[in-house]
Amino acid sequence: MSKKVIISGFCVVVILVGGIGFREWKNNTIKDQRITETQKEENKNNQPVTFEDLFNNLALMKATTPDVSDWVGYRNDAMGFSIKIPNDWYVESSNGKFVCIKSKTRKFYFEGGESCGIVVNKYSEDDFVRFIEMSKKDNELKYIELDSKKILYMSGYSLPRVAIKNKDDVWEASIQGADNSIKNETLYGIINFIRFE
């Protein structure tokens, strides 16, 4: 056999193997794209869209309504709400998006600096749902019912927080001071007795 025939035969085999390999690669790529698109669609359909969706499949956590009879009122006209806070606490500052609540008798620290003990935040519903979805894998979600209100509770990697919805906004009270002396009941009292103007 001549060298030309051997080289030609070799080239034909390389071209055939290359063509078959390319066709398989392309088919697998298209198949992977379809699987990825299907997964994205399924994930999109499973993700909560509203605050109420966050409660799907959550366990109910037992809680009792705290006694707030000796708490003092705080009203914020700029943000359009009022709350009650323990009488040995005070509101230090507000910037239109959150209110910083501190204790008169204790200091709280978080990430190396002095911090609010509790913060009350206002979020759009979309922003809050996105935040919960991003942090859900590091936190445990439950819900509590206080005076027939359904309240979302989250703890774990983040410090405990509770949230309730009012019209288009979600209001959240969260412990900011990394101190176990702040009891969840304080959060429950603040969020349960929040009133909107």
Side-chain angles (χ1 to χ4, degrees):
M1 242 202 274
S2 74
K3 261 184 163 176
K4 283 185 176 179
V5 172
I6 292 173
I7 291 173
S8 296
F10 179 73
C11 288
V12 168
V13 169
V14 167
I15 290 170
L16 284 172
V17 170
I20 292 169
F22 178 76
R23 188 180 76 205
E24 285 300 310
W25 172 80
K26 186 162 177 112
N27 287 342
N28 285 338
T29 301
I30 291 169
K31 183 179 170 184
D32 288 345
Q33 285 175 340
R34 283 189 199 131
I35 290 170
T36 302
E37 287 169 11
T38 302
Q39 286 172 339
K40 281 182 186 174
E41 193 62 35
E42 286 173 2
N43 288 344
K44 192 167 114 181
N45 292 337
N46 291 335
Q47 288 198 0
V49 177
T50 66
F51 181 76
E52 288 79 12
D53 291 340
L54 293 171
F55 290 91
N56 293 339
N57 305 316
L58 291 185
L60 173 64
M61 187 168 82
K62 299 283 185 198
T64 56
T65 305
D67 177 17
V68 299
S69 58
D70 63 341
W71 288 21
V72 295
Y74 167 77
R75 180 185 173 112
N76 188 309
D77 292 324
M79 291 176 70
F81 78 100
S82 60
I83 54 174
K84 287 187 169 191
I85 59 175
N87 61 8
D88 59 339
W89 290 66
Y90 67 99
V91 173
E92 183 188 73
S93 62
S94 169
N95 73 356
K97 291 188 179 183
F98 73 89
V99 172
C100 172
I101 305 170
K102 289 190 170 185
S103 169
K104 293 176 184 175
T105 58
R106 294 189 323 257
K107 290 188 186 237
F108 299 99
Y109 297 91
F110 185 67
E111 294 183 353
E114 189 175 345
S115 136
C116 304
I118 295 174
V119 171
V120 175
N121 286 299
K122 175 183 171 183
Y123 294 94
S124 73
E125 183 175 14
D126 289 342
D127 286 347
F128 186 80
V129 170
R130 259 193 306 278
F131 165 71
I132 294 295
E133 274 305 293
M134 287 186 326
S135 57
K136 192 161 72 172
K137 68 178 185 284
D138 297 320
N139 294 284
E140 182 178 14
L141 290 176
K142 295 180 180 179
Y143 79 89
I144 57 177
E145 284 183 348
L146 294 173
D147 298 334
S148 302
K149 295 182 195 104
K150 213 169 183 183
I151 297 171
L152 186 71
Y153 176 86
M154 182 171 82
S155 70
Y157 178 74
S158 72
L159 297 166
R161 57 187 67 225
V162 290
I164 192 167
K165 185 170 181 279
N166 175 51
K167 296 182 187 171
D168 297 329
D169 301 317
V170 174
W171 293 77
E172 173 195 81
S174 58
I175 294 175
Q176 295 295 305
D179 183 331
N180 290 332
S181 66
I182 303 175
K183 303 296 181 208
N184 283 343
E185 289 75 19
T186 306
L187 290 181
Y188 302 161
I190 289 171
I191 208 71
N192 191 47
F193 292 96
I194 191 168
R195 301 292 178 259
F196 304 101
E197 313 301 320

